[in-house]
Amino acid sequence: GETLTTTLSSRARRSTSIARDMSASQGFRRTAQSALRGAMAQGSSAGSRMSPTTAIGGAPFAARECNATPFGARSISLQAVQIRMKSVGNIQKITKAMKMVAASRLKGAETRAKQSRALVQPFVRLLGDTPAVEVEGETLVVPITSDKGLCGGINTTVVKYTKVLNEMNGGVAALDVIGEKARSQIARLYPKQINDVIVDTTKQPLTFATVCGIADTIMSKNAPKTHLIYNRFQSAIAFRPTVATILSNDELEKVAEEGVNAFDTYEIEGPDRSEFLLDLAEFKMGALLYNAMLENNTSELGSRMQSMESSSKNAGEMLNKLTLLYNRTRQAAITTELIEIISGASALEAEK
């Protein structure tokens, strides 16, 4: 009798334990299903579309994010997305810093450029600006660009104007290049026409004495006509490509005799006419070159500020997309784990 009682009591305890395990399993299953519905609802509210697929043998495998995953791939590595997000974030910091630096330097450069225009205007009124005058001899073209990039298309515009002026002069115009960016582009187009290349002019604040040294180098070619190509500053978002023309003293005398400029309307005292025209031609070269380099430097800063602002905006948009992709991928991984838990619970119930 005691043996029968002991056997019945042990069977009762085993039945109670099995019932408790089944109840816990059903409760865990209901909890997992509730968590799965919540995760799916969050994924749909974020704009993601997830669909669990059934693998061979009837067991479901990981849901796949439909929009962000490349064709033929099941999932995207969260670590790869994190590395990409960090890279884009660092680029955005650099572009924002470059924009701030350009903006801080722009005001001073704009003031100097506007003040230098006072040197140019008297020469234009006295000697005129005559780019269409035909001269005997080789025309000299001086494109003025920046030494650094990341400043929009201002350098490309100067190179395009250089190509046009070279074609207008029969494709044989001599070239004195100012700026590293113009050298790299023009050297591929006209390698045999380049005489001198002047770079690193903006590492130190530009002075009139520095420009006079560059002007002496240009005037030493004894070209009858010289074209300066640069970007004239108008506003932080607007720049006008400009061509300034400087004639030699002999050509100035011919133009004055023809009445093209207003030189003969003035009474000249002091040195003779030819010596005075030589002094005017040299000083005009220095004044126009000084103004052109200041104008182009100001345009460079304004263009760089706008370019870096656009780059920062694009980096921000890319970072938002990568963040959304990261969240969708993480939600897909969570959904995969929940599905695996539910599948395991279902398999245990089926065995019982």
Side-chain angles (χ1 to χ4, degrees):
E2 292 180 0
T3 303
L4 180 61
T5 303
T6 303
T7 304
L8 290 175
S9 62
S10 63
R11 288 182 178 179
R13 284 195 300 271
R14 190 180 301 111
S15 300
T16 304
S17 176
I18 292 173
R20 190 183 301 112
D21 292 340
M22 292 180 64
S23 176
S25 176
Q26 290 176 357
F28 179 79
R29 182 178 180 182
R30 285 193 297 270
T31 303
Q33 288 176 346
S34 176
L36 175 63
R37 284 193 296 270
M40 295 289 284
Q42 291 178 1
S44 61
S45 65
S48 60
R49 297 193 296 273
M50 304 178 184
S51 56
T53 314
T54 304
I56 299 176
F61 66 87
R64 184 169 60 190
E65 204 281 321
C66 299
N67 286 336
T69 307
F71 178 75
R74 282 192 177 184
S75 61
I76 294 178
S77 171
L78 288 177
Q79 185 178 6
V81 178
Q82 284 180 328
I83 293 173
R84 182 63 174 166
M85 290 171 62
K86 185 177 180 180
S87 175
V88 174
N90 292 336
I91 292 174
Q92 188 181 35
K93 291 178 182 178
I94 293 172
T95 55
K96 285 184 177 180
M98 292 184 67
K99 175 193 170 183
M100 293 176 62
V101 171
S104 64
R105 295 175 57 189
L106 179 61
K107 185 62 179 177
E110 182 182 356
T111 302
R112 289 191 297 271
K114 290 182 177 179
Q115 290 176 349
S116 68
R117 293 175 186 175
L119 281 172
V120 178
Q121 293 170 357
F123 284 105
V124 174
R125 289 194 299 265
L126 176 63
L127 303 176
D129 188 13
T130 54
V133 172
E134 295 184 359
V135 297
E136 295 180 359
E138 191 178 47
T139 301
L140 180 63
V141 179
V142 183
I144 301 174
T145 59
S146 64
D147 292 317
K148 299 179 181 179
L150 300 177
C151 54
I154 61 172
N155 296 323
T156 305
T157 303
V158 171
V159 173
K160 288 180 179 178
Y161 274 65
T162 304
K163 292 169 62 177
V164 172
L165 285 176
N166 183 61
E167 292 173 0
M168 291 175 60
N169 289 277
V172 293
L175 299 171
D176 277 1
V177 180
I178 299 178
E180 181 66 34
K181 290 302 175 180
R183 178 177 68 171
S184 60
Q185 297 185 48
I186 295 177
R188 294 193 298 266
L189 299 173
Y190 316 112
K192 297 181 180 180
Q193 296 175 226
I194 298 178
N195 293 330
D196 293 318
V197 178
I198 303 169
V199 297
D200 296 336
T201 58
T202 57
K203 282 190 174 182
Q204 300 293 333
L206 192 66
T207 61
F208 189 73
T210 303
V211 174
C212 287
I214 300 174
D216 288 340
T217 303
I218 296 174
M219 293 289 289
S220 64
K221 308 297 188 306
N222 296 321
K225 182 168 66 174
T226 303
H227 293 299
L228 302 179
I229 308 174
Y230 63 97
N231 291 281
R232 183 180 176 86
F233 179 81
Q234 291 183 318
S235 66
I237 57 174
F239 326 102
R240 186 175 63 189
T242 305
V243 179
T245 305
I246 301 100
L247 300 178
S248 65
N249 59 322
D250 295 334
E251 297 299 329
L252 281 176
E253 190 167 358
K254 293 179 183 178
V255 170
E257 291 175 356
E258 295 173 359
V260 177
N261 55 32
F263 180 74
D264 284 339
T265 59
Y266 295 86
E267 294 183 0
I268 308 300
E269 294 182 359
D272 59 358
R273 182 186 179 91
S274 59
E275 185 179 351
F276 184 66
L277 285 173
L278 177 60
D279 294 339
L280 282 178
E282 292 177 352
F283 192 55
K284 182 181 179 182
M285 170 64 78
L288 263 66
L289 185 60
Y290 181 63
N291 173 252
M293 295 181 69
L294 287 177
E295 294 274 3
N296 196 79
N297 183 43
T298 309
S299 301
E300 174 193 352
L301 293 174
S303 181
R304 179 173 290 118
M305 186 179 69
Q306 295 300 318
S307 299
M308 292 302 101
E309 182 178 0
S310 300
S311 299
S312 300
K313 181 180 178 181
N314 294 337
E317 293 176 356
M318 184 179 294
L319 192 59
N320 291 336
K321 291 180 181 179
L322 288 172
T323 304
L324 181 60
L325 175 60
Y326 176 80
N327 292 334
R328 288 179 177 179
T329 307
R330 185 172 55 84
Q331 289 173 6
I334 295 172
T335 305
T336 301
E337 294 179 1
L338 291 175
I339 291 175
E340 290 174 353
I341 293 171
I342 294 169
S343 301
S346 300
L348 288 175
E349 282 190 8
E351 291 179 0
K352 294 178 181 178

